[in-house]
Each structure stands twice: as C-alpha cells, then as structure tokens.
Amino acid sequence: MKTILKSDFECVYLINGRITEGGRVNLEENAVYYITVFPLNATYLSYTVKTVGDKICSNKDLCVKVTAKEETYILFCKRYPYVYSTTPFSYEGGCVCEFFTLIKQNRIDKARSLLSGNLSKSVSDDMLKGFFEKYEYVLDTDEEDKWILATKEGEGEYFTFVLKHGLIDDISN
C-alpha cells in the first residue's frame, strides 16, 4: 500500500534501517516497520514510531494516520527537547497553517488579517469557527493550493486555499 510520510518540519526518515527523505513509500499491509524521524532542525528531537503497514502502534501522540479519498498520510509531529508538545500546528507551513492555527486558538481577529478583504467581509466569526471546528490537523499536499484538513481520528478532506497577494482569497473543497 502506498503511504505518504509528511511532517511540517524538514526531516529525514529511517525506515527499518534505510534512510529516505519521505514522500511516497510502499508499506506492506502486515509488515512491521520502525520509522525514526530525524529533524534537520536542532530545535526538535528525533523519535521512533512502530507501525504494522500503515497502522500506528506506538507513539500515537506524536504521529497521526490521515486518510483522504484514496490517499494515506502519516503525519509526524514536532517533539521539543524541553517542553513536550505534540501540537502539529505550525506557522512554518505559511499562510494556511498560520490561519488554521489562529482559528483553532480562537484568535479570529488575527486570523482575519490573513484573509483578503472580500473573503473577510463575506464570513462571520461563527462561520469561521464552525467551518474548522471538527478539524485538528492541516497538511500541505505539495500540490499548488491543495491542503488536507483532518479530524483527530485521521479522516481527511481535500481543500483548495487560493492565495491572492499573500492572503487567502477563497477556500473550497
């Protein structure tokens, strides 16, 4: 089964002794894999996750399986050396990640500053909160304007975030 390894930070993966930069990997359904994440940023710590195929068996608080349509992603979260955190939200992913994080933090006024004037005027605060309420994670799909919003259970949906002059001008799925 094809699985896509993702993280919101630069890293390499060691899968059963072989180093890869991530992306699409073939994980056999009943095979055991030990995937170690080596961040390329000294601020984060490495860690290992045991999987059987694409089913996560250890460190579930640092790793999330997300399924969107026929794609399966394994999202690896940051692990900090002094303050333990599994929060996968990051401003490093650009405008969309920052917007999603601000909405989840209930900082709606700051989030609105990332929307174009027309889009900001057309949605209420309650609409913004309600739209993103069920989602816990945001993943960049490496396709232009395409992102996946995923629930805590790993159910993902594709969304298009159109940027205009560095601001979000349209969101659709």
Side-chain angles (χ1 to χ4, degrees):
M1 72 189 71
K2 294 287 184 187
T3 303
I4 301 169
L5 304 180
K6 291 291 285 186
S7 63
D8 60 355
F9 54 96
E10 282 189 284
C11 65
V12 293
Y13 305 95
L14 182 69
I15 304 173
N16 289 357
R18 291 190 171 160
I19 291 180
T20 180
E21 290 187 18
R24 290 187 189 279
V25 294
N26 191 19
L27 302 180
E28 294 178 28
E29 191 170 337
N30 294 315
V32 176
Y33 296 94
Y34 294 92
I35 304 172
T36 301
V37 180
F38 292 106
L40 299 178
N41 181 329
T43 309
Y44 311 127
L45 293 177
S46 59
Y47 59 92
T48 301
V49 174
K50 178 183 176 183
T51 69
V52 176
D54 63 3
K55 181 181 179 218
I56 299 164
C57 300
S58 69
N59 278 330
K60 294 180 182 181
D61 54 341
L62 287 170
C63 189
V64 179
K65 176 183 170 183
V66 175
T67 305
K69 293 189 183 175
E70 296 179 16
E71 298 280 339
T72 300
Y73 292 80
I74 296 180
L75 171 64
F76 295 89
C77 303
K78 295 175 185 167
R79 181 172 174 230
Y80 298 94
Y82 299 110
V83 179
Y84 180 74
S85 175
T86 60
T87 306
F89 307 126
S90 169
Y91 290 4
E92 293 174 23
C95 182
V96 174
C97 284
E98 183 176 2
F99 176 72
F100 182 79
T101 301
L102 292 169
I103 293 291
K104 296 307 283 183
Q105 293 173 345
N106 204 26
R107 298 171 60 195
I108 305 299
D109 288 340
K110 181 96 171 136
R112 282 188 178 282
S113 69
L114 299 172
L115 298 177
S116 67
N118 290 339
L119 183 57
S120 183
K121 290 176 190 173
S122 68
V123 295
S124 69
D125 290 354
D126 290 336
M127 288 172 68
L128 283 173
K129 287 189 266 187
F131 183 80
F132 292 101
E133 186 174 37
K134 72 178 186 177
Y135 302 110
E136 293 291 322
Y137 308 102
V138 60
L139 289 86
D140 181 358
T141 64
D142 297 327
E143 294 179 43
E144 188 175 343
D145 301 334
K146 296 278 187 203
W147 295 79
I148 294 175
L149 297 179
T151 65
K152 192 172 190 167
E153 294 78 29
E155 298 168 5
E157 294 181 54
Y158 285 91
F159 284 87
T160 301
F161 287 79
V162 177
L163 300 180
K164 185 176 182 182
H165 305 295
L167 300 174
I168 299 169
D169 190 50
D170 188 29
I171 303 170
S172 60
N173 64 347

